[in-house]
Amino acid sequence: MTKPTLTLDEIRKNVSRVDSELLALLAERRQLSIEVAKSKIQTEKPVRDPAREKILLEKLVTAGKKHELDAPYIVSIFHSIIEDSVLIQQAFLQKLANPDSAQPIARVSFLGPKGSYSYLAAKHFFSRKQTTLAELPCKSFKEVVEIVENGRADYGVLPIENTSSGSINDVYDQLQHTRLSIVGEITQPIEHCILTAVDTDLENIDCLYSHPQPYQQCSEYLRSLGDVKQEYCSSTAEAMQKVAEMKSGNVAAIGNASSGALYGLKPLKANIANQQENHTRFILVARNPVDVTDLIPAKTTFIMSTAQDAGSLVECLLVFRNHGINMTKLESRPVLGNPWEEMFYVDVEGNMSSEEMQKVLEELTSLTRYIKVLGCYPIENVSPTEIELD
Ligand SMILES: C=C(O[C@@H]1C=C(C(=O)O)C=C[C@H]1O)C(=O)O
């Protein structure tokens, strides 16, 4: 067996030195991305350039081979690096486009307590925005909205849809009655685990604590557990808090492992969601709308109610098609107080400040009974540029 010439401590020192060099290089690359963004303002070029990304990835894969670094490894690392570069440029440009909303501290309301998925989404959203969070955990979605409305918070974070359990109706209903605007969105991976305060076995658990959503999202696994009681909490974090206080081997919370660690809980079983790909899309609401620079992709959300005549909704949707506007979501909710009347929520890819979208709004106004733009905001989902690997 070959004996290393260095001790483990010495080798680890070298690994740490390489890691800090990597960090310095990542920071330098980020800085260069900002320079690229400045140049794109001058040249009016869009932030995203898939052709450049493809060339860059292909060159990196070829260069990586010389170092015996395999292609999937290189591609996955550089997908993350490019995603960061695009999002850092978007954040920079949005700050310039909205100087009034660029505060160093943002007071953010979310369904608490600390550690909820809404809390994780809030952290995630502001991570590249050079903003410190003043956290305002709330007891309900209504309160999240109210404290932004009355000025105690600058932003509210609300979950709007999940890939397993679908739309979050309570949040849609809050949006019908608020004057707030949607100013951003973020997709958060949801990784549910069974979390306990003490070492125990799954067979010992006779009562679970969680929010109703995780019960739905993990229904198949939970059925396999048999006769286990399910207690409802206002959030996964509240469930974790309760389980931490009980310190019992017979109770468990369902929630995220990193949030569980905040409450001293350990995962007993991971990956319990019905779908492997379990994500929730969150929206950010604020008192004032934002402008989205036309160098980055934007989404617009409308609510509208149509006449109750045959084909009224189809007429509206044709407006999007005729203007080449892609619709990404259509949802309907009852209008409270008006039985059988529906309010439609529509998400489209498009910037409200564009001529095309102004025409769309004008045409829709003449076709609907009621229409309101809930917000126009940057799309922060950076889909990776794929290259052919041989
Ligand atoms: C940095 C740029 O912006 C984006 C990010 C890229 C990167 O990080 O390498 C490449 C192309 C663009 O999608 C650029 O245009 O060069």
Side-chain angles (χ1 to χ4, degrees), residues 137-317:
C138 296
K139 290 216 156 34
S140 64
F141 295 137
K142 193 168 194 278
E143 192 189 341
V144 170
V145 169
E146 273 171 4
I147 70 168
V148 183
E149 282 174 337
N150 66 28
R152 280 177 48 222
D154 304 307
Y155 298 96
V157 174
L158 296 162
I160 190 91
E161 61 173 323
N162 173 272
T163 48
S164 325
S165 51
S167 293
I168 295 148
N169 292 338
D170 190 6
V171 171
Y172 274 101
D173 293 344
Q174 295 299 324
L175 293 176
Q176 229 178 84
H177 302 289
T178 183
R179 294 182 314 279
L180 300 182
S181 296
I182 305 177
V183 296
E185 67 168 1
I186 188 100
T187 302
Q188 181 70 25
I190 304 292
E191 287 150 353
H192 293 312
C193 302
I194 302 245
L195 302 156
T196 56
V198 295
D199 287 333
T200 182
D201 289 319
L202 274 173
E203 302 86 76
N204 299 334
I205 307 295
D206 52 34
C207 186
L208 290 168
Y209 289 78
S210 202
H211 184 266
Q213 286 285 333
Y215 287 131
Q216 275 182 45
Q217 293 161 15
C218 306
S219 58
E220 285 165 22
Y221 174 76
L222 295 179
R223 240 193 317 276
S224 78
L225 285 185
D227 199 16
V228 177
K229 208 169 152 216
Q230 294 180 357
E231 290 284 348
Y232 290 94
C233 301
S234 64
S235 72
T236 53
E238 194 209 354
M240 292 178 202
Q241 221 168 23
K242 279 200 170 140
V243 167
E245 278 162 17
M246 282 186 265
K247 288 195 185 66
S248 154
N250 304 115
V251 297
I254 300 178
N256 180 277
S258 65
S259 306
L262 288 175
Y263 295 94
L265 303 185
K266 283 196 258 169
L268 187 59
K269 171 94 182 126
N271 290 330
I272 60 165
N274 298 354
Q275 284 187 36
Q276 277 294 319
E277 288 290 322
N278 190 17
H279 299 270
T280 297
R281 190 165 66 88
F282 290 82
I283 51 168
L284 259 93
V285 290
R287 282 183 300 287
N288 296 314
V290 287
D291 290 329
V292 184
T293 149
D294 51 13
L295 304 185
I296 70 178
K299 197 185 252 189
T300 298
T301 302
F302 298 93
I303 50 172
M304 60 190 194
S305 71
T306 60
Q308 286 179 318
D309 302 327
S312 324
L313 177 62
V314 174
E315 289 297 328
C316 292
L317 300 184

Side-chain angles (χ1 to χ4, degrees), residues 84-103:
D84 179 70
S85 157
V86 170
L87 292 178
I88 212 87
Q89 292 181 62
Q90 291 199 174
F92 175 79
L93 295 172
Q94 277 305 96
K95 214 170 176 177
L96 289 183
N98 300 277
D100 293 346
S101 62
Q103 322 101 317

Side-chain angles (χ1 to χ4, degrees), residues 29 32-33 36 40 46-50 52-53 56 81-83 85-86 89:
R29 197 184 194 282
L32 290 171
S33 298
V36 168
K40 284 172 179 166
V47 162
R48 199 86 202 266
D49 181 348
R52 158 80 179 151
E53 288 180 21
L56 188 143
I81 291 176
I82 292 170
E83 179 188 45
S85 157
V86 170
Q89 292 181 62

Side-chain angles (χ1 to χ4, degrees), residues 53-61 78-79 82 385 387:
E53 288 180 21
K54 193 161 178 283
I55 293 169
L56 188 143
L57 288 169
E58 283 165 353
K59 277 193 178 156
L60 286 163
V61 164
F78 277 89
H79 275 160
I82 292 170
T385 297
I387 58 163

